[in-house]
Amino acid sequence: MKIGEMEFVKVEVDDMSAPEPCRIKHEDTEEHTDWMEKKQQIHELNEAEDEHRTFQAQRAKAKKLHTCSQCGKGFAHKGNLNTHARMHTGEKPYTCHQCGKSFTRSSGLSKHLLCHSGVKPFICDQCGKHFISSSKLKTHQKVHSGERPYECSLCGKSFSRLDSCKQHQKIHDEVRDHVCCECGKSFTTASQLKQHQRIHTGERPYKCSYCDKSFTLSGNLKAHERVHTGEKPYHCTQCGEGFISTKNLRYHLHVHSGERPFNCDHCGKKFKSASNLKCHMNVHSDEKHHLCSLCGKSFSRLNSCKLHQKMHDDVKEYVCCECGKSFTAIGQLRRHKRVHTGEKPYKCSYCDKSFTVSGNLKVHERVHTGEKPYHCTKCGKSFTQSKTVAIHMEKHCFVSE
């Protein structure tokens, strides 16, 4: 029995101790094998990915069978190469039959035709302006956000659009490679040259939908049509007055700032724009080229002559909704409406007075500045108003008689 018991114990001890080092060794081997397998798998996966990338690159290269002889760019289809080649040749085979504008792609012509159809499905939430494409709307919305990500590297001026920045850059570089064959004037872009050439041809492709007027520029047509629709998408942040164009809004802002950078050499009168100064200079030259065909009265400005002509024709198309009074010009109606609203948007820079008409503000501010821009040609006496100098001049005529 004792011998049997000892044998049993021995077996038990053997069973308890002998397998332990074997199991540890076996587990280490398994872990090492797993790690080696994973390493092999990663290596194989990387090799497979490299092969796939190489295959895709070769496939893409094989696809681009058509290469541009000018710049070496490759294309999968010959049609794409032909379209690309027009960038080098300047060829524009797709022409608009309404205005003659040409395009390199049929898609460009399709988008352009929307200008003539009047279909503008994309609307700005801020000002209600309509656009023919979502990309144009997106570009426009930068005007409201004030975002100007494109900066000129030479002068630091910033732009909301890349093409505007590039065009501006040409001013510094003095690149004017588009020359008019008629007069030799040069331009930075082909579109500027094309617009200019309409001066020589007399072409006015943009026709008003409401009247017989036509324009050389699409922007001028848009601004004009707002006279008929009453749309004023550009608002002054200081007084809320609306305008049909950004140019008019810019001029209006000078009323609030008081800035008048353009001075008359003859009388010292200041103007907010170069065009206003140019029109004013006709007063000093006594040149009145624009004659009324009905009464012979002459005018220094064409728009003054046209406005006068409406008096003969009895055309008073702008009617006040409050009292029914009619006017020949929309500006007259706008000023008249202030009688009903009590609005006085033109505020004096020196005191608390405000005025309904900008001209009255100008005259009033001369009380503060002492400016007397109107001079008598007989005795040299100065006056604050043109009508005062006219009355004074009559006295000289009366004395001479």
Side-chain angles (χ1 to χ4, degrees):
M1 286 296 291
K2 284 182 180 179
I3 295 169
E5 284 177 5
M6 286 189 68
E7 285 178 353
F8 175 78
V9 169
K10 187 179 180 181
V11 171
E12 189 177 334
V13 170
D14 289 341
D15 287 346
M16 290 293 288
S17 59
E20 190 66 32
C22 295
R23 186 166 65 249
I24 292 166
K25 188 176 181 181
H26 179 67
E27 284 175 358
D28 288 345
T29 307
E30 279 184 350
E31 282 180 8
H32 181 71
T33 306
D34 288 345
W35 181 78
M36 288 297 290
E37 282 179 1
K38 282 179 183 177
K39 191 177 179 181
Q40 183 65 26
Q41 285 173 2
I42 291 166
H43 179 69
E44 287 175 1
L45 184 64
N46 288 338
E47 278 189 343
E49 283 180 353
D50 289 340
E51 284 177 11
H52 180 70
R53 276 196 291 268
T54 307
F55 172 73
Q56 290 283 37
Q58 288 173 348
R59 187 180 176 187
K61 193 175 180 181
K63 270 189 173 181
K64 293 183 178 180
L65 301 171
H66 308 282
T67 308
C68 176
S69 57
Q70 299 277 339
C71 64
K73 197 172 182 181
F75 297 89
H77 303 286
K78 193 174 182 180
N80 292 348
L81 171 62
N82 292 339
T83 302
H84 164 79
R86 290 172 194 144
M87 290 174 63
H88 301 295
T89 62
E91 185 193 1
K92 294 183 178 182
Y94 303 99
T95 307
C96 173
H97 296 298
Q98 295 192 53
C99 66
K101 195 173 183 180
S102 300
F103 300 86
T104 54
R105 296 170 180 265
S106 58
S107 58
L109 174 60
S110 300
K111 285 180 182 177
H112 166 77
L113 288 171
L114 292 171
C115 296
H116 299 295
S117 68
V119 178
K120 294 182 179 181
F122 300 94
I123 304 165
C124 175
D125 296 332
Q126 307 245 11
C127 65
K129 199 173 180 182
H130 292 63
F131 297 88
I132 58 174
S133 66
S134 58
S135 60
K136 288 189 183 293
L137 170 59
K138 193 176 180 182
T139 303
H140 159 78
Q141 284 174 331
K142 289 176 183 175
V143 173
H144 299 297
S145 67
E147 184 189 352
R148 290 173 173 264
Y150 306 103
E151 193 173 290
C152 174
S153 56
L154 292 165
C155 69
K157 193 174 181 180
S158 57
F159 299 86
S160 58
R161 294 173 59 173
L162 178 61
D163 58 342
S164 301
C165 186
K166 284 181 177 178
Q167 191 171 323
H168 164 82
Q169 192 83 39
K170 284 186 175 183
I171 296 167
H172 295 298
D173 301 336
E174 291 187 357
V175 178
R176 290 176 170 264
D177 44 4
H178 302 278
V179 183
C180 175
C181 300
E182 294 286 331
C183 64
K185 197 173 182 181
S186 58
F187 300 88
T188 53
T189 64
S191 59
Q192 287 176 341
L193 172 59
K194 194 169 184 179
Q195 287 167 8
H196 162 78
Q197 284 174 331
R198 289 174 188 149
I199 295 169
H200 303 298
T201 61
E203 182 193 6
R204 289 174 173 262
Y206 303 100
K207 293 173 176 62
C208 177
S209 309
Y210 304 92
C211 68
D212 296 330
K213 277 193 174 181
S214 56
F215 300 86
T216 54
L217 303 176
S218 60
N220 291 350
L221 169 63
K222 287 173 191 172
H224 164 77
E225 286 190 334
R226 290 181 189 130
V227 173
H228 299 288
T229 61
E231 182 195 4
K232 292 179 182 178
Y234 306 100
H235 296 276
C236 174
T237 53
Q238 296 192 51
C239 67
E241 191 172 351
F243 298 89
I244 60 173
S245 67
T246 51
K247 183 176 75 174
N248 290 356
L249 172 59
R250 251 193 331 268
Y251 290 160
H252 165 79
L253 289 172
H254 290 309
V255 171
H256 298 294
S257 67
E259 186 186 359
R260 291 177 176 271
F262 301 94
N263 299 338
C264 174
D265 295 331
H266 292 275
C267 66
K269 196 173 180 182
K270 296 178 179 180
F271 299 88
K272 56 190 176 185
S273 69
S275 58
N276 286 356
L277 172 60
K278 193 176 179 181
C279 289
H280 163 78
M281 293 300 286
N282 291 329
V283 173
H284 298 295
S285 66
D286 291 329
E287 289 180 14
K288 295 186 177 183
H289 300 294
H290 308 286
L291 276 169
C292 173
S293 57
L294 292 165
C295 69
K297 192 174 180 180
S298 57
F299 298 87
S300 57
R301 296 173 63 179
L302 178 60
N303 61 346
S304 300
C305 184
K306 284 180 178 178
L307 188 59
H308 164 81
Q309 191 83 42
K310 284 184 177 182
M311 292 170 62
H312 291 298
D313 301 335
D314 202 27
V315 178
K316 293 188 176 183
E317 54 192 333
Y318 302 98
V319 182
C320 175
C321 302
E322 295 286 333
C323 64
K325 196 173 182 181
S326 57
F327 301 88
T328 53
I330 193 166
Q332 292 173 338
L333 173 60
R334 194 182 297 125
R335 287 194 291 270
H336 163 78
K337 279 183 175 178
R338 291 173 190 149
V339 173
H340 302 295
T341 61
E343 183 194 5
K344 292 186 176 184
Y346 303 101
K347 293 173 177 63
C348 177
S349 309
Y350 304 93
C351 68
D352 295 331
K353 277 193 174 182
S354 55
F355 301 86
T356 55
V357 182
S358 61
N360 292 349
L361 171 64
K362 290 175 197 172
V363 172
H364 164 78
E365 286 191 335
R366 288 176 192 143
V367 173
H368 299 288
T369 61
E371 183 192 5
K372 294 182 178 182
Y374 303 100
H375 305 280
C376 174
T377 55
K378 300 284 184 182
C379 66
K381 195 174 180 180
S382 301
F383 299 88
T384 56
Q385 298 181 56
S386 57
K387 65 179 180 182
T388 314
V389 77
I391 293 166
H392 170 80
M393 290 288 286
E394 284 177 6
K395 289 181 182 178
H396 283 294
C397 295
F398 180 75
V399 170
S400 63
E401 284 176 4

